[in-house]
Amino acid sequence: MTALESEHAFPPRTASYEADPEQVERVLLLYSGGLDTSVMLKWIQDRYHAEVVCLIVNLGQPGEDYEVIQGKALRLGALECHVVDAREEFAREYVLPAIRANALYGGGYPLFTALGRPLIAKLAVEYARSSGCDTIAHGCTGKGNDQVRIEATVATLAPELKTIAPVRSWQMGREEEIAYAREHGIPIKSDPAHPEVAPYSIDDNLWGRSSEGRWIEDLSHAPDNDVFQLVTRPELAPDEPEIVTVEFERGAPVALNGERLELVALIERAAEIAARHGVGIVDHIEDRIVGLKVRDIYEAPAAAILLSAHQELEKLIGTIHQNQFKPQLDRQWAYLVYAGLWWEPLRQDLDAYMASVNERVSGTIGLKLYKGSARVVTRSSPNAVYDASLASFAQSGGLFSQTASPGFIELWSLQSRMAWRLRNEPQGL
Ligand code: ARG
């Protein structure tokens, strides 16, 4: 008998929303088809004597075969297995607000996982209710941000539902999980060449892909080539640069290279173009919300070009005061979302500000993509606070008088000059 199957008591509950094992009758499991959630699917049936309904959410993870995963769930005893294509909702309601907020956490992470979790958990609540489940189960560990995002969402939207997070409590390592899987006829995918090597821990959707684990935890280890599965390594990217133009209307990207596209298709196309040129790789040190400092390798090609283009256009349209102020709110927005507080009213308050600024963010930005870099090279907008004749060096006239400048400088620098004198003259205090 493995540790898993021993009849030792369930660990005591800490939070009010954690399920009392006695009361678990039907569980909605957020299923991915991977080792953890497959073991869980069996384990919940065995340990809780409960029925399991599976939910698989499509957020545009590349190369996923949802029918295969669904078949696997049903073979492992799921009562039902729903597959929901949430790409459109994800793009419109989660990624688009992130673009309007230029959302990057810690200066580099475009939040794809953090944006996906509240939607996945919201769908889990909907399907749990319609399938008569009392509990939601997920495969997050106790060390990550994802448990926070999912459980905070469920506890906010559905106080009547409970959650269980078996990976957090079952205390099995990978070896024991594999043994459990073998014993229970759960098929496991492993690299046939190196069956003993644990795979990277991957999470992805249409906004990006993260890899964690293995050598990534060694900060002195430069990335091995095999981690890059989405973005071409810059050294292998084409020798010819490519220019891509992105057109925005009210802060939303609407066309690429002049071709109008629906948002999901546009994000997918942007990812393809940027990935080809090695754009979107981020080797990131990150402060998790649960206190840990970790390293992630991100591949986020679509975000790399759409966020840069949006930010550039916004800068062209905003005044100096707006441009000084908005990044503070952008950072707050990214932090709230990273921290699992999607449903916090402050996020909606911030969104109202983002929407107000973005009312005028229409125009086109051109970027030059070349071996890993994406550099803005052209800009145009009917709303730009820009006048080429005012900006050019020599002339005076129109709204600008160069003879007014010395007077401006005298007053603008007045307090600084006075303070300097006080600090640097012998009679100063
Ligand atoms: N560090 C990122 C975040 O906290 C990515 C997490 C990826 N999640 C995962 N289960 N592999 O959002």
Short mmCIF file of all heavy atoms in Angstrom, two decimals, residues 315-353:
data_model
loop_
_atom_site.label_atom_id
_atom_site.label_comp_id
_atom_site.label_asym_id
_atom_site.label_seq_id
_atom_site.Cartn_x
_atom_site.Cartn_y
_atom_site.Cartn_z
N LYS A 315 1.86 56.69 -25.40
CA LYS A 315 2.81 57.75 -25.06
C LYS A 315 2.71 58.92 -26.03
O LYS A 315 2.92 60.08 -25.67
CB LYS A 315 4.22 57.15 -25.12
CG LYS A 315 5.24 57.91 -24.36
CD LYS A 315 6.43 57.02 -24.04
CE LYS A 315 7.58 57.32 -24.97
NZ LYS A 315 8.74 56.45 -24.78
N LEU A 316 2.38 58.58 -27.27
CA LEU A 316 2.27 59.61 -28.31
C LEU A 316 1.02 60.47 -28.10
O LEU A 316 0.98 61.65 -28.44
CB LEU A 316 2.20 58.90 -29.66
CG LEU A 316 2.33 59.67 -30.96
CD1 LEU A 316 3.70 60.34 -31.03
CD2 LEU A 316 2.15 58.71 -32.14
N ILE A 317 0.01 59.84 -27.51
CA ILE A 317 -1.31 60.47 -27.40
C ILE A 317 -1.51 61.17 -26.05
O ILE A 317 -2.23 62.16 -25.95
CB ILE A 317 -2.37 59.37 -27.65
CG1 ILE A 317 -2.38 59.06 -29.15
CG2 ILE A 317 -3.74 59.78 -27.16
CD1 ILE A 317 -2.88 57.71 -29.48
N GLY A 318 -0.82 60.64 -25.02
CA GLY A 318 -0.98 61.22 -23.68
C GLY A 318 -0.20 62.52 -23.54
O GLY A 318 0.78 62.76 -24.23
N THR A 319 -0.64 63.35 -22.60
CA THR A 319 0.15 64.53 -22.26
C THR A 319 1.28 64.09 -21.32
O THR A 319 1.27 62.97 -20.79
CB THR A 319 -0.70 65.57 -21.50
OG1 THR A 319 -1.10 64.99 -20.26
CG2 THR A 319 -1.92 65.97 -22.31
N ILE A 320 2.20 65.01 -21.06
CA ILE A 320 3.29 64.70 -20.14
C ILE A 320 2.73 64.25 -18.77
O ILE A 320 3.26 63.34 -18.14
CB ILE A 320 4.25 65.91 -19.99
CG1 ILE A 320 5.42 65.57 -19.07
CG2 ILE A 320 3.53 67.16 -19.50
CD1 ILE A 320 6.51 66.65 -19.04
N HIS A 321 1.63 64.85 -18.36
CA HIS A 321 1.07 64.52 -17.04
C HIS A 321 0.44 63.13 -17.05
O HIS A 321 0.63 62.34 -16.13
CB HIS A 321 0.07 65.60 -16.62
CG HIS A 321 0.69 66.96 -16.67
ND1 HIS A 321 1.67 67.35 -15.79
CD2 HIS A 321 0.53 68.00 -17.54
CE1 HIS A 321 2.08 68.58 -16.10
NE2 HIS A 321 1.40 68.99 -17.17
N GLN A 322 -0.30 62.84 -18.10
CA GLN A 322 -0.87 61.48 -18.21
C GLN A 322 0.25 60.45 -18.30
O GLN A 322 0.18 59.39 -17.69
CB GLN A 322 -1.75 61.38 -19.46
CG GLN A 322 -3.05 62.16 -19.34
CD GLN A 322 -3.84 62.11 -20.63
OE1 GLN A 322 -3.35 62.49 -21.70
NE2 GLN A 322 -5.07 61.64 -20.55
N ASN A 323 1.28 60.79 -19.06
CA ASN A 323 2.37 59.81 -19.25
C ASN A 323 3.20 59.60 -17.99
O ASN A 323 3.81 58.55 -17.82
CB ASN A 323 3.27 60.25 -20.41
CG ASN A 323 2.57 60.10 -21.75
OD1 ASN A 323 1.56 59.38 -21.85
ND2 ASN A 323 3.06 60.77 -22.77
N GLN A 324 3.23 60.60 -17.11
CA GLN A 324 3.91 60.42 -15.83
C GLN A 324 3.05 59.59 -14.88
O GLN A 324 3.55 58.84 -14.06
CB GLN A 324 4.17 61.78 -15.16
CG GLN A 324 5.26 62.60 -15.81
CD GLN A 324 6.63 62.00 -15.58
OE1 GLN A 324 6.96 61.58 -14.48
NE2 GLN A 324 7.41 61.93 -16.63
N PHE A 325 1.74 59.75 -14.98
CA PHE A 325 0.83 59.17 -13.99
C PHE A 325 0.46 57.72 -14.30
O PHE A 325 0.45 56.86 -13.42
CB PHE A 325 -0.44 60.03 -13.94
CG PHE A 325 -1.44 59.59 -12.91
CD1 PHE A 325 -1.15 59.69 -11.56
CD2 PHE A 325 -2.68 59.06 -13.30
CE1 PHE A 325 -2.07 59.30 -10.60
CE2 PHE A 325 -3.60 58.66 -12.35
CZ PHE A 325 -3.29 58.77 -10.99
N LYS A 326 0.13 57.44 -15.57
CA LYS A 326 -0.47 56.14 -15.87
C LYS A 326 0.41 54.95 -15.50
O LYS A 326 -0.11 53.93 -15.01
CB LYS A 326 -0.91 56.07 -17.34
CG LYS A 326 -1.74 54.81 -17.64
CD LYS A 326 -2.45 54.88 -18.97
CE LYS A 326 -3.24 53.60 -19.24
NZ LYS A 326 -2.39 52.45 -19.55
N PRO A 327 1.73 55.01 -15.72
CA PRO A 327 2.55 53.85 -15.36
C PRO A 327 2.41 53.43 -13.89
O PRO A 327 2.53 52.24 -13.57
CB PRO A 327 3.98 54.30 -15.66
CG PRO A 327 3.82 55.32 -16.73
CD PRO A 327 2.55 56.04 -16.41
N GLN A 328 2.10 54.38 -13.01
CA GLN A 328 1.90 54.01 -11.60
C GLN A 328 0.67 53.12 -11.46
O GLN A 328 0.65 52.14 -10.73
CB GLN A 328 1.69 55.24 -10.73
CG GLN A 328 2.85 56.23 -10.76
CD GLN A 328 2.51 57.49 -9.98
OE1 GLN A 328 2.00 57.42 -8.88
NE2 GLN A 328 2.79 58.64 -10.56
N LEU A 329 -0.41 53.52 -12.20
CA LEU A 329 -1.62 52.70 -12.13
C LEU A 329 -1.44 51.40 -12.89
O LEU A 329 -1.97 50.36 -12.49
CB LEU A 329 -2.82 53.47 -12.70
CG LEU A 329 -3.21 54.76 -11.97
CD1 LEU A 329 -4.64 55.15 -12.34
CD2 LEU A 329 -3.10 54.64 -10.47
N ASP A 330 -0.68 51.45 -13.98
CA ASP A 330 -0.38 50.22 -14.73
C ASP A 330 0.29 49.21 -13.79
O ASP A 330 -0.06 48.03 -13.77
CB ASP A 330 0.57 50.49 -15.90
CG ASP A 330 -0.08 51.29 -17.03
OD1 ASP A 330 -1.31 51.45 -17.03
OD2 ASP A 330 0.67 51.75 -17.92
N ARG A 331 1.23 49.70 -13.02
CA ARG A 331 1.96 48.79 -12.13
C ARG A 331 1.03 48.22 -11.06
O ARG A 331 1.08 47.04 -10.72
CB ARG A 331 3.15 49.51 -11.49
CG ARG A 331 4.01 48.54 -10.73
CD ARG A 331 5.30 49.06 -10.14
NE ARG A 331 5.96 50.03 -10.98
CZ ARG A 331 6.17 51.30 -10.61
NH1 ARG A 331 5.76 51.74 -9.45
NH2 ARG A 331 6.80 52.11 -11.42
N GLN A 332 0.15 49.06 -10.55
CA GLN A 332 -0.81 48.60 -9.53
C GLN A 332 -1.76 47.55 -10.12
O GLN A 332 -2.08 46.55 -9.48
CB GLN A 332 -1.61 49.81 -9.03
CG GLN A 332 -2.48 49.52 -7.83
CD GLN A 332 -1.68 49.24 -6.57
OE1 GLN A 332 -0.66 49.87 -6.35
NE2 GLN A 332 -2.12 48.28 -5.77
N TRP A 333 -2.19 47.78 -11.33
CA TRP A 333 -3.08 46.84 -12.03
C TRP A 333 -2.38 45.49 -12.16
O TRP A 333 -2.94 44.44 -11.82
CB TRP A 333 -3.45 47.40 -13.42
CG TRP A 333 -4.59 46.73 -14.10
CD1 TRP A 333 -5.89 47.14 -14.12
CD2 TRP A 333 -4.55 45.51 -14.89
NE1 TRP A 333 -6.65 46.27 -14.87
CE2 TRP A 333 -5.86 45.26 -15.34
CE3 TRP A 333 -3.55 44.61 -15.24
CZ2 TRP A 333 -6.20 44.16 -16.14
CZ3 TRP A 333 -3.88 43.50 -16.03
CH2 TRP A 333 -5.19 43.29 -16.46
N ALA A 334 -1.13 45.51 -12.65
CA ALA A 334 -0.40 44.26 -12.86
C ALA A 334 -0.19 43.53 -11.53
O ALA A 334 -0.31 42.30 -11.46
CB ALA A 334 0.95 44.55 -13.52
N TYR A 335 0.08 44.28 -10.49
CA TYR A 335 0.32 43.66 -9.19
C TYR A 335 -0.94 42.99 -8.64
O TYR A 335 -0.90 41.85 -8.17
CB TYR A 335 0.85 44.72 -8.21
CG TYR A 335 1.04 44.19 -6.82
CD1 TYR A 335 1.94 43.16 -6.57
CD2 TYR A 335 0.31 44.70 -5.75
CE1 TYR A 335 2.11 42.65 -5.29
CE2 TYR A 335 0.48 44.20 -4.47
CZ TYR A 335 1.37 43.18 -4.25
OH TYR A 335 1.52 42.68 -2.99
N LEU A 336 -2.07 43.68 -8.74
CA LEU A 336 -3.33 43.10 -8.26
C LEU A 336 -3.65 41.81 -8.99
O LEU A 336 -4.05 40.81 -8.39
CB LEU A 336 -4.51 44.05 -8.54
CG LEU A 336 -4.84 45.13 -7.54
CD1 LEU A 336 -6.07 45.90 -8.03
CD2 LEU A 336 -5.14 44.51 -6.18
N VAL A 337 -3.48 41.84 -10.30
CA VAL A 337 -3.82 40.67 -11.11
C VAL A 337 -2.83 39.54 -10.83
O VAL A 337 -3.22 38.38 -10.67
CB VAL A 337 -3.86 41.05 -12.61
CG1 VAL A 337 -4.01 39.81 -13.49
CG2 VAL A 337 -5.02 42.02 -12.86
N TYR A 338 -1.56 39.88 -10.73
CA TYR A 338 -0.56 38.87 -10.38
C TYR A 338 -0.92 38.22 -9.04
O TYR A 338 -0.82 37.01 -8.87
CB TYR A 338 0.82 39.52 -10.29
CG TYR A 338 1.92 38.54 -9.98
CD1 TYR A 338 2.47 37.75 -11.00
CD2 TYR A 338 2.40 38.37 -8.68
CE1 TYR A 338 3.47 36.83 -10.73
CE2 TYR A 338 3.40 37.44 -8.41
CZ TYR A 338 3.92 36.68 -9.44
OH TYR A 338 4.90 35.76 -9.17
N ALA A 339 -1.36 39.06 -8.12
CA ALA A 339 -1.59 38.61 -6.75
C ALA A 339 -2.93 37.90 -6.56
O ALA A 339 -3.33 37.61 -5.44
CB ALA A 339 -1.50 39.81 -5.81
N GLY A 340 -3.64 37.63 -7.64
CA GLY A 340 -4.86 36.82 -7.54
C GLY A 340 -6.10 37.58 -7.13
O GLY A 340 -7.10 36.99 -6.76
N LEU A 341 -6.04 38.92 -7.22
CA LEU A 341 -7.20 39.70 -6.79
C LEU A 341 -7.96 40.29 -7.98
O LEU A 341 -8.34 41.46 -7.99
CB LEU A 341 -6.76 40.80 -5.82
CG LEU A 341 -6.13 40.26 -4.52
CD1 LEU A 341 -5.74 41.41 -3.59
CD2 LEU A 341 -7.06 39.30 -3.80
N TRP A 342 -8.21 39.45 -8.97
CA TRP A 342 -8.93 39.89 -10.17
C TRP A 342 -10.28 40.51 -9.83
O TRP A 342 -10.73 41.45 -10.45
CB TRP A 342 -9.12 38.70 -11.12
CG TRP A 342 -9.87 39.05 -12.36
CD1 TRP A 342 -11.20 38.85 -12.62
CD2 TRP A 342 -9.33 39.71 -13.52
NE1 TRP A 342 -11.52 39.33 -13.86
CE2 TRP A 342 -10.39 39.86 -14.44
CE3 TRP A 342 -8.07 40.17 -13.88
CZ2 TRP A 342 -10.23 40.46 -15.69
CZ3 TRP A 342 -7.90 40.77 -15.13
CH2 TRP A 342 -8.97 40.91 -16.01
N TRP A 343 -10.95 39.95 -8.82
CA TRP A 343 -12.33 40.39 -8.51
C TRP A 343 -12.37 41.55 -7.53
O TRP A 343 -13.44 41.98 -7.12
CB TRP A 343 -13.15 39.19 -7.99
CG TRP A 343 -12.99 38.02 -8.90
CD1 TRP A 343 -12.16 36.96 -8.73
CD2 TRP A 343 -13.61 37.82 -10.19
NE1 TRP A 343 -12.22 36.11 -9.81
CE2 TRP A 343 -13.11 36.61 -10.72
CE3 TRP A 343 -14.55 38.55 -10.94
CZ2 TRP A 343 -13.51 36.11 -11.96
CZ3 TRP A 343 -14.95 38.04 -12.17
CH2 TRP A 343 -14.43 36.84 -12.66
N GLU A 344 -11.23 42.05 -7.15
CA GLU A 344 -11.12 43.19 -6.23
C GLU A 344 -11.65 44.46 -6.92
O GLU A 344 -11.27 44.75 -8.06
CB GLU A 344 -9.63 43.31 -5.84
CG GLU A 344 -9.13 44.67 -5.42
CD GLU A 344 -9.76 45.17 -4.15
OE1 GLU A 344 -9.89 44.40 -3.18
OE2 GLU A 344 -10.15 46.36 -4.13
N PRO A 345 -12.52 45.21 -6.24
CA PRO A 345 -13.11 46.39 -6.91
C PRO A 345 -12.06 47.41 -7.38
O PRO A 345 -12.31 48.12 -8.36
CB PRO A 345 -14.04 47.00 -5.87
CG PRO A 345 -13.83 46.24 -4.61
CD PRO A 345 -13.12 44.97 -4.93
N LEU A 346 -10.93 47.48 -6.72
CA LEU A 346 -9.90 48.41 -7.19
C LEU A 346 -9.50 48.12 -8.64
O LEU A 346 -9.21 49.03 -9.40
CB LEU A 346 -8.65 48.34 -6.28
CG LEU A 346 -7.47 49.23 -6.73
CD1 LEU A 346 -7.86 50.70 -6.82
CD2 LEU A 346 -6.28 49.05 -5.79
N ARG A 347 -9.53 46.82 -9.02
CA ARG A 347 -9.17 46.49 -10.40
C ARG A 347 -10.18 47.13 -11.36
O ARG A 347 -9.82 47.68 -12.40
CB ARG A 347 -9.11 44.97 -10.58
CG ARG A 347 -8.25 44.51 -11.73
CD ARG A 347 -9.05 44.13 -12.95
NE ARG A 347 -10.15 43.24 -12.63
CZ ARG A 347 -11.20 43.08 -13.40
NH1 ARG A 347 -11.30 43.72 -14.55
NH2 ARG A 347 -12.18 42.27 -13.04
N GLN A 348 -11.46 47.09 -10.99
CA GLN A 348 -12.47 47.71 -11.85
C GLN A 348 -12.33 49.23 -11.86
O GLN A 348 -12.51 49.87 -12.89
CB GLN A 348 -13.87 47.28 -11.41
CG GLN A 348 -14.16 45.86 -11.87
CD GLN A 348 -15.14 45.14 -10.96
OE1 GLN A 348 -16.09 45.72 -10.47
NE2 GLN A 348 -14.90 43.86 -10.74
N ASP A 349 -12.00 49.79 -10.73
CA ASP A 349 -11.77 51.25 -10.68
C ASP A 349 -10.62 51.62 -11.62
O ASP A 349 -10.70 52.58 -12.37
CB ASP A 349 -11.41 51.71 -9.26
CG ASP A 349 -12.51 51.46 -8.24
OD1 ASP A 349 -13.65 51.21 -8.66
OD2 ASP A 349 -12.21 51.48 -7.03
N LEU A 350 -9.57 50.83 -11.54
CA LEU A 350 -8.40 51.10 -12.40
C LEU A 350 -8.78 50.92 -13.87
O LEU A 350 -8.36 51.70 -14.72
CB LEU A 350 -7.24 50.17 -12.03
CG LEU A 350 -6.60 50.39 -10.66
CD1 LEU A 350 -5.59 49.28 -10.36
CD2 LEU A 350 -5.93 51.74 -10.56
N ASP A 351 -9.60 49.90 -14.14
CA ASP A 351 -10.03 49.68 -15.53
C ASP A 351 -10.80 50.87 -16.07
O ASP A 351 -10.71 51.19 -17.26
CB ASP A 351 -10.90 48.42 -15.64
CG ASP A 351 -10.05 47.17 -15.84
OD1 ASP A 351 -8.88 47.29 -16.28
OD2 ASP A 351 -10.55 46.06 -15.55
N ALA A 352 -11.55 51.52 -15.21
CA ALA A 352 -12.31 52.69 -15.66
C ALA A 352 -11.33 53.79 -16.10
O ALA A 352 -11.54 54.47 -17.12
CB ALA A 352 -13.22 53.20 -14.55
N TYR A 353 -10.26 53.94 -15.36
CA TYR A 353 -9.24 54.92 -15.75
C TYR A 353 -8.56 54.51 -17.06
O TYR A 353 -8.36 55.32 -17.97
CB TYR A 353 -8.20 55.08 -14.63
CG TYR A 353 -7.10 56.03 -15.02
CD1 TYR A 353 -7.31 57.40 -15.00
CD2 TYR A 353 -5.88 55.54 -15.48
CE1 TYR A 353 -6.31 58.27 -15.41
CE2 TYR A 353 -4.88 56.41 -15.88
CZ TYR A 353 -5.10 57.77 -15.85
OH TYR A 353 -4.12 58.62 -16.27
#
